[in-house]
Amino acid sequence: MKKLALHWKIIIGMVLGIIWALLSSTMGWSSFTINWIDPFGTIFINLLKLIAVPLVLFSIISGVANIGDPNSLGRMGGKTLGIYLITTIMAISLGLLLVNTIKPGELIDDQSRIDNRISYEIWADSQGYELKDGINYLKDPEYFERAQEISELTKSELQEAAVADKLETVQKRKESTPLQPLIDIVPSNFFYSLSNNGLMLQIIFFAVFFGVCLLFIPLDKAKPVLNLVDGINEVFLKMVDIVMQAAPFFVFALLAGVVSKMAGDDIGKVIEIFKGLSWYSLTVLAGLLLMIFVVYPIILKAFVKKIPYSGFFKAMSPAQTLAFSTSSSAATLPVTMECVEQNLGVNKKISSFVLPIGATVNMDGTSLYQAVAVIFLAQMHMIDLTVAQQVTVVLTATLASIGSAAVPSAGLVMLIIVLDSVGLNPAWIAIIFPVDRILDMFRTVVNVTGDATVCSIIADGEDMLDYREHDNPTQTFDLDS
Ligand code: ASP
């Protein structure tokens, strides 16, 4: 009998997980689901992350050392970062275009927007910011009483516990020098970097440095090290194969947990949450889907003629479905690498260098969402951002997406920095927080798809892409292979 392709099994797991969560919410079993099923989802993400960190380390060392010549490495590195930057800026521009056209934040009733505006003015005043757009409800006698009421409310309302800790983390980071991001890339203790999933850039720095130095030592010394690195790499890839056998079950647990946590014992809550933020969510979704189904295929068509539209999706579907269910490009990385190498035919030399870097620095979905979120929040507070401020959004969203860890909700935390850069209240992340987990699933698919697209372009440019039509390309996670 023909085996069902892995991505179908994962999709079935997801659907069953959602059905289970809805059922358990109507039957009042949500705490059972959260206590006894959800932990398997966490175990799954832990397993994948456990593999991701050493895989990034060893695959970059082997990728860099196997390229063999520092000059071509430099050229490829420059190309990789350049193309990643271009796709990120494209994604942000698309987000800005959509949010400025649809204007989801203006579709809320006028009274709420005026109230929002007043609370923003109170906050801006407390921060000593000047209002640049000439509106000032605080000074308008007509709104005096409302302003008093709102002033009392805003003191406590936005500082929800759920976001307060996120604000604090970013605040700590901000109290450093402008070159702090550069300092953060260079580890002072490599073993500390290895012990922290958020320090992936440090691991990449070390791996590239180590790989380059391997190129400069005598071959008889370098060869055994390289063989060891390659062997260890194989072990981690085998671990991925084994974990992926159980992926459909784990994904069931993940989705059941995510939906149960949102719904509790009342499914109506999920619908309520989405109703209030429906236009915002739809704008983000429209942008993300356009990236996946239109923008990347156009880029691929322009630069890599060999890979057909359907072939690309067939090849990448295990990684895409996994990105969707885990919301983590780092956890998905091992599978992304297998899909790109075995299904798209990208040479290991390229993928082992380009993909781990992409998973860490290239987050097109995250940056698009950040652009939409900032403008949406400004719109709903009746704040017109100038062109200069929107350019600032492009720059900070690019940096914020580079700085975001490839784990669930990282983009939401970095949104604080983008809001701050244009003088908006960072605590507003609380407003979009309720729908964030679901949008995160979609933006992670974009992040992973973007990495694979760029990787194929680089491979084709280096003549290292050997794409072949597979009957069922997703059957790569085979223990016998
Ligand atoms: N979850 C995303 C990722 O891992 C990052 C984010 O946007 O929160 O790619």
Side-chain angles (χ1 to χ4, degrees):
M1 200 181 81
K2 205 171 149 225
K3 264 166 74 190
L4 196 60
L6 180 70
H7 67 280
W8 283 118
K9 291 191 202 157
I10 295 182
I11 290 172
I12 293 172
M14 276 196 296
V15 173
L16 290 180
I18 294 172
I19 294 176
W20 172 267
L22 297 180
L23 184 75
S24 74
S25 141
T26 30
M27 305 295 280
W29 300 338
S30 279
S31 55
F32 170 83
T33 308
I34 292 169
N35 287 332
W36 295 97
I37 298 183
D38 181 54
F40 290 98
T42 314
I43 290 176
F44 182 47
I45 298 199
N46 284 354
L47 276 172
L48 288 170
K49 281 205 218 147
L50 162 83
I51 301 168
V53 173
L55 193 69
V56 167
L57 173 66
F58 292 112
S59 70
I60 293 186
I61 295 178
S62 128
V64 168
N66 277 317
I67 288 169
D69 144 44
N71 283 338
S72 42
L73 178 72
R75 193 192 60 231
M76 228 177 71
K79 240 194 303 182
T80 304
L81 293 181
I83 304 181
Y84 276 149
L85 194 65
I86 293 172
T87 55
T88 303
I89 291 178
M90 280 168 75
I92 299 177
S93 313
L94 176 64
L96 286 180
L97 179 74
L98 288 173
V99 73
N100 282 307
T101 318
I102 302 174
K103 298 191 181 1
E106 293 181 12
L107 299 170
I108 304 169
D109 67 285
D110 281 350
Q111 191 49 51
S112 314
R113 287 184 74 216
I114 292 176
D115 284 358
N116 289 340
R117 170 78 197 191
I118 293 173
S119 64
Y120 161 68
E121 288 178 8
I122 294 168
W123 174 81
D125 193 45
S126 73
Q127 301 291 310
Y129 288 157
E130 243 179 74
L131 302 175
K132 295 197 187 100
D133 50 9
I135 311 172
N136 198 334
Y137 283 98
L138 278 189
K139 293 217 173 107
D140 189 334
E142 201 186 318
Y143 290 95
F144 180 75
E145 258 179 49
R146 189 68 190 133
Q148 295 286 334
E149 281 168 34
I150 291 175
S151 162
E152 285 308 308
L153 275 176
T154 39
K155 275 182 199 143
S156 56
E157 211 180 33
L158 282 172
Q159 298 287 347
E160 264 181 35
V163 295
D165 57 334
K166 297 187 169 59
L167 287 174
E168 208 175 292
T169 321
V170 175
Q171 197 58 36
K172 271 195 210 126
R173 220 180 281 183
K174 261 179 25 197
E175 283 157 9
S176 39
T177 88
L179 285 184
Q180 194 60 39
L182 199 62
I183 299 176
D184 286 344
I185 295 177
V186 185
S188 62
N189 180 344
F190 179 60
F191 293 96
Y192 176 71
S193 330
L194 273 183
S195 68
N196 188 330
N197 280 319
L199 297 175
M200 211 63 131
L201 278 177
Q202 296 193 349
I203 299 176
I204 293 178
F205 173 85
F206 175 85
V208 173
F209 196 18
F210 191 97
V212 169
C213 290
L214 262 184
L215 291 176
F216 287 113
I217 63 173
L219 193 64
D220 59 323
K221 299 256 172 15
K223 197 76 194 133
V225 181
L226 200 52
N227 284 343
L228 178 71
V229 168
D230 283 341
I232 295 180
N233 236 339
E234 286 295 316
V235 175
F236 283 110
L237 288 176
K238 193 46 85 188
M239 283 187 183
V240 182
D241 289 346
I242 294 173
V243 173
M244 286 308 285
Q245 303 293 315
F249 161 73
F250 281 134
V251 163
F252 162 81
L254 253 180
L255 265 280
V258 168
V259 179
S260 287
K261 279 184 199 150
M262 282 184 86
D265 283 333
D266 172 15
I267 321 177
K269 232 164 84 190
V270 181
I271 300 164
E272 275 314 305
I273 288 172
F274 272 92
K275 244 200 222 152
L277 291 164
S278 57
W279 281 105
Y280 158 71
S281 309
L282 285 175
T283 311
V284 175
L285 275 184
L288 296 177
L289 294 177
L290 279 173
M291 285 304 290
I292 299 174
F293 294 109
V294 181
V295 177
Y296 292 135
I298 291 179
I299 300 178
L300 264 183
K301 187 130 195 72
F303 294 98
V304 191
K305 307 228 160 27
K306 281 177 216 163
I307 305 177
Y309 189 88
S310 60
F312 179 75
F313 287 101
K314 235 189 204 173
M316 290 309 299
S317 45
Q320 288 172 321
T321 42
L322 198 67
F324 187 81
S325 37
T326 59
S327 282
S328 166
S329 5
T332 312
L333 178 67
V335 177
T336 314
M337 290 177 79
E338 288 215 12
C339 289
V340 167
E341 285 161 16
Q342 298 182 22
N343 298 346
L344 287 179
V346 170
N347 190 305
K348 243 188 162 88
K349 283 183 191 166
I350 304 286
S351 59
S352 53
F353 175 72
V354 175
L355 287 177
I357 294 181
T360 315
V361 304
N362 182 47
M363 296 199 183
D364 301 344
T366 303
S367 55
L368 182 150
Y369 135 85
Q370 285 173 338
V372 174
V374 170
I375 310 294
F376 163 76
L377 289 168
Q379 288 169 349
M380 72 180 279
H381 288 82
M382 292 181 86
I383 302 158
D384 240 343
L385 292 182
T386 58
V387 174
Q389 281 174 308
Q390 301 221 10
V391 172
T392 310
V393 170
V394 175
L395 293 179
T396 44
T398 307
L399 293 177
S401 73
I402 294 174
S404 300
V407 295
S409 294
L412 179 75
V413 179
M414 296 307 272
L415 182 62
I416 294 171
I417 293 178
V418 190
L419 282 168
D420 209 41
S421 71
V422 282
L424 300 180
N425 188 350
W428 289 346
I429 60 167
I431 298 172
I432 51 168
F433 183 74
V435 288
D436 198 69
R437 188 62 177 77
I438 301 287
L439 295 180
D440 194 2
M441 298 166 93
F442 288 94
R443 62 183 191 250
T444 309
V445 177
V446 176
N447 294 346
V448 167
T449 311
D451 296 344
T453 306
V454 174
C455 188
S456 312
I457 296 173
I458 307 267
D460 198 43
E462 300 285 323
D463 227 359
M464 294 210 197
L465 180 81
D466 180 22
Y467 175 77
R468 279 181 210 162
E469 195 73 62
H470 295 257
D471 275 351
N472 197 355
T474 52
Q475 292 297 326
T476 50
F477 301 93
D478 201 340
L479 284 178
D480 310 325
S481 62

